[in-house]
Amino acid sequence: MRDMDRATQQRILHLDMDAFFAAVEQLDHPEWRGKPLLVGGDPKDRGVVSTASYEARPFGCHSAMPMAAAIRLCPQAIVVKPRMERYAEISRLVFEILEQFTPLVEPISIDEAFLDVTGCERLIGSAEHIACALKDRVQSEIQITASVGVAPNKFLAKLASDLQKPDGLVVVKEEDVQSFLAPLPISRLWGVGKATLPEFERLGIHTFGDALGLSLGTLRQHFGEAGEQFLQLVRGIDDRPVQPDREAKSISHEVTFPVDNLDREHLRSIILDQIDQVTRRLRRYGLVARTVMLKIRYGDFGTITRRETLPAATDQTDALWNVAVKLFEAWQQTRPRAVRLIGVGVSQLSSTKECQLSLFEPTEASTHHQLDTTMDAIRDRFGEQAIGRAAANRGGADQHEST
């Protein structure tokens, strides 16, 4: 009971940037503000919508739909290709603001994060006050909007942030958890997708409130090991802590494709970009890693992972990239299917203070480290697009982000 009492006293925020890619484009092009805007691939090449601005959504446009279909629905829409380097630059500015309120910031993607403000309330004010201050600073300093959910745990905060977009603020108090959850559609439950939703519907479960009547035995019978997690979540129970990169056991970055992808060079370039982002986070928090993981998910949600451990821990982009591409090339030899998701991660983390340069290659290791830190400094000062590795400069990759 002590853990549950502690969990209910936590104040967790989930911040989600509104239609982030489109918002950045409208920031850089004021003449596009107030107009329907579609960020994504070329409709002639079967491109898909990465983000639809809120002005385009009343026409039926949304992320992950074919760009050609979106244009048919909204022929007056402005269509632009994604600029991932620019979005990463704005994302960095947003996260700098978040970390001024609490050190407990857990990045989820380029446009969203969890924050634990439990220990900040005496110094700054209530969690709701902090959420308002965050929203105000993002809007005043960066000129884009964010939606924030405030709740006793991560699951509830994530649900709350999505309910009043754009520019929303939803607060869920401990005493209101059940009334908040009961009317929500069961499709909003984490882990419920194309395979599990029909099973819930066959059981007559359409809302969270309906699911409260199911026993653990019934849930396990129909959903296996996930049944216990479902039971906890429909009751609003989620004990996972907010875990900043500096305290994480692993750091990873993933991309989900709107359309299954088997373009070898495109996948390679995405992996390099992911390694680049992961290693920057390592260096930011003074960490090194020994193990590299490649994660691939197919269209049928079958998932494979491949790992390799280095002789010594490192934060060097080239060293970790060489391992990641080796894992990728080995997977390529298996006659692979098209993938829905691809990601890389690093684990076995330790502090750089515990790691020394190799005794055999001190000059080379030092040179690589200096190159990485120099590139980090240039990007921090002049923006993500100021400098990049050759394979990462790939133009507009078809990616989509949460909205």
Side-chain angles (χ1 to χ4, degrees):
M1 288 298 295
R2 247 179 235 168
D3 288 342
M4 288 300 299
D5 290 342
R6 177 183 58 79
T8 56
Q9 295 170 5
Q10 288 183 334
R11 305 306 291 162
I12 307 300
L13 275 57
H14 180 260
L15 179 138
D16 196 356
M17 306 306 298
D18 299 321
F20 182 54
F21 294 179
V24 174
E25 296 299 340
Q26 291 175 324
L27 171 68
D28 290 348
H29 301 274
E31 68 275 16
W32 293 349
R33 295 175 185 172
K35 298 180 180 179
L37 176 69
L38 302 172
V39 180
D42 189 335
K44 297 178 182 178
D45 294 329
R46 301 177 63 187
V48 298
V49 177
S50 296
T51 307
S53 72
Y54 283 96
E55 295 85 357
R57 297 186 186 191
F59 296 90
C61 303
H62 57 81
S63 63
M65 73 184 305
M67 182 64 77
I71 293 174
R72 285 195 294 270
L73 292 171
C74 186
Q76 69 272 39
I78 300 164
V79 179
V80 297
K81 292 183 178 180
R83 297 182 296 151
M84 298 307 299
E85 292 84 0
R86 176 59 171 159
Y87 307 151
E89 180 180 13
I90 297 297
S91 173
R92 178 177 57 81
L93 297 177
V94 172
F95 276 89
E96 286 178 357
I97 293 174
L98 304 188
E99 290 173 349
Q100 292 175 32
F101 285 83
T102 173
L104 300 179
V105 178
E106 179 180 345
I108 303 302
S109 67
I110 194 172
D111 66 329
E112 62 176 320
F114 287 111
L115 299 84
D116 187 338
V117 298
T118 307
C120 305
E121 293 187 283
R122 291 184 180 180
L123 296 173
I124 305 176
S126 69
E128 183 174 357
H129 171 80
I130 294 172
C132 290
L134 278 173
K135 286 168 52 62
D136 289 346
R137 285 197 57 185
V138 170
Q139 186 160 22
S140 63
E141 296 179 23
I142 306 179
Q143 285 81 54
I144 56 179
T145 64
S147 294
V148 179
V150 183
N153 60 51
K154 292 166 76 172
F155 173 60
L156 295 170
K158 169 71 172 175
L159 286 176
S161 69
D162 197 42
L163 291 183
Q164 292 185 8
K165 278 181 159 288
D167 199 19
L169 174 59
V170 175
V171 179
V172 182
K173 298 180 179 179
E174 286 85 347
E175 61 269 24
D176 298 329
V177 168
Q178 290 307 317
S179 59
F180 168 74
L181 288 176
L184 295 180
I186 200 66
S187 59
R188 288 186 177 270
L189 183 64
W190 279 355
V192 172
K194 293 180 180 179
T196 48
L197 182 58
E199 188 66 19
F200 271 107
E201 293 174 341
R202 280 192 288 271
L203 292 170
I205 306 301
H206 302 283
T207 67
F208 278 64
D210 295 338
L212 287 174
L214 295 177
S215 68
L216 177 57
T218 299
L219 286 167
R220 281 178 172 168
Q221 178 185 348
H222 289 272
F223 304 105
E225 294 182 2
E228 185 170 357
Q229 178 184 346
F230 288 159
L231 183 63
Q232 296 289 307
L233 293 179
V234 296
R235 295 176 176 177
I237 300 171
D238 178 15
D239 292 334
R240 295 169 307 144
V242 171
Q243 194 170 54
D245 282 345
R246 63 173 70 86
E247 298 177 6
K249 294 181 180 179
S250 64
I251 295 176
S252 62
H253 190 83
E254 299 177 352
V255 167
T256 300
F257 299 105
V259 177
D260 294 351
N261 193 306
L262 192 53
D263 184 328
R264 178 177 178 273
E265 292 307 316
H266 181 62
L267 295 176
R268 276 175 58 97
S269 67
I270 287 177
I271 291 172
L272 176 55
D273 183 64
Q274 292 172 336
I275 283 288
D276 207 17
Q277 294 189 47
V278 166
T279 51
R280 286 193 70 192
R281 287 160 65 183
L282 285 174
R283 293 188 290 271
R284 182 180 185 184
Y285 292 111
L287 297 173
V288 288
R290 279 196 67 197
T291 298
V292 179
M293 181 191 74
L294 174 69
K295 177 180 177 181
I296 292 171
R297 178 168 295 155
Y298 299 113
D300 60 2
F301 291 91
T303 304
I304 64 169
T305 58
R306 299 288 185 268
R307 290 179 175 84
E308 183 167 323
T309 298
L310 289 82
T314 182
D315 62 2
Q316 293 175 15
T317 301
D318 285 345
L320 296 173
W321 157 247
N322 288 336
V323 178
V325 76
K326 176 182 175 182
L327 295 172
F328 176 75
E329 296 294 350
W331 170 74
Q332 278 282 314
Q333 299 301 315
T334 66
R335 296 183 179 178
R337 294 175 282 152
V339 304
R340 176 173 178 80
L341 174 150
I342 194 162
V344 296
V346 294
S347 60
Q348 289 191 266
L349 306 184
S350 58
S351 168
T352 52
K353 295 179 181 179
E354 304 169 13
C355 176
Q356 296 181 350
L357 294 177
S358 166
L359 295 176
F360 300 101
E361 299 176 288
T363 303
E364 182 180 356
S366 178
T367 300
H368 282 297
H369 180 75
Q370 185 176 3
L371 173 62
D372 287 335
T373 54
T374 299
M375 290 181 67
D376 291 346
I378 292 172
R379 286 166 165 172
D380 288 343
R381 182 172 182 181
F382 299 107
E384 295 292 326
Q385 74 276 25
I387 190 170
R389 297 172 189 271
N393 294 333
R394 61 185 183 277
D398 265 2
Q399 302 181 55
H400 71 285
E401 34 86 24
S402 302
T403 54

